[in-house]
Amino acid sequence: MSDLKIQDILFCAAFAGEIDKLKSDPKIHTFEAGIGELEAAINLQKYLSDPSTWKPKAIFGIGSAGVYNWIPRKDWEGKFGISKVFANYQIAFLDKKIRLPESMTFKYEFPNLQFPFDGNDFVESATNGTGSVTLEDLSPRALERIKGESLGFENMEAFGLAKVCNLFNIPFGTIFALTNKVGPKGSEEWKLSWRKHSDRLQEKILSYL
């Protein structure tokens, strides 16, 4: 456990349903950043650039994540995912179907962040912030790269938020409801499960107050 308190954190969600329970407690700071890495990054940067806004000691992305299939379902189902390493690998890039400039930054790490959560309910892994949802099974080439860099989770907003936090020198991490396996059925599984798991996640956070 760290000295970081829940009250010192700004919880950034993609949409209101991911923070509705947290918003009901005045001790918790929340922000609806928007869907996708670009929108989330722009809105968080606007928030932090406003001199009138409250400045957090740390920022956490909160929401849901898919899990890559190199992690067995039995190891994550019913648990929460936490991350402090964030990559931005498009699956087509890993499959060499598209080209990106080598000068781009593809990873941010926040090694000094200590989560104010503990216990067997939490699984820690790095997160791939793809900006989109992967709807195919990964090729052997892509899976080897994903597994080799210990990227267990996929989330659309995490990398954009991480980039802004790096710019402002604010510790950043994520806490996710692990809703689905990444792949062809991932979106349907997410639709059926996100509300239930979001409620569980928010209630878990509230229990640390």
Side-chain angles (χ1 to χ4, degrees), residues 46-88:
K46 287 170 60 179
Y47 174 93
L48 293 174
S49 299
D50 185 343
S52 67
T53 58
W54 173 79
K55 298 304 186 287
K57 292 184 179 179
I59 293 175
F60 280 13
I62 181 174
S64 59
V67 184
Y68 289 114
N69 63 8
W70 66 266
I71 302 181
R73 184 179 284 268
K74 64 180 178 61
D75 291 347
W76 60 264
E77 193 165 42
K79 298 182 180 181
F80 307 113
I82 54 177
S83 291
K84 54 185 176 183
V85 178
F86 306 93
N88 182 217

Side-chain angles (χ1 to χ4, degrees), residues 14-26:
F15 59 94
E18 295 179 326
I19 48 172
D20 51 355
K21 289 183 177 294
L22 297 184
K23 288 177 70 173
S24 66
D25 193 307

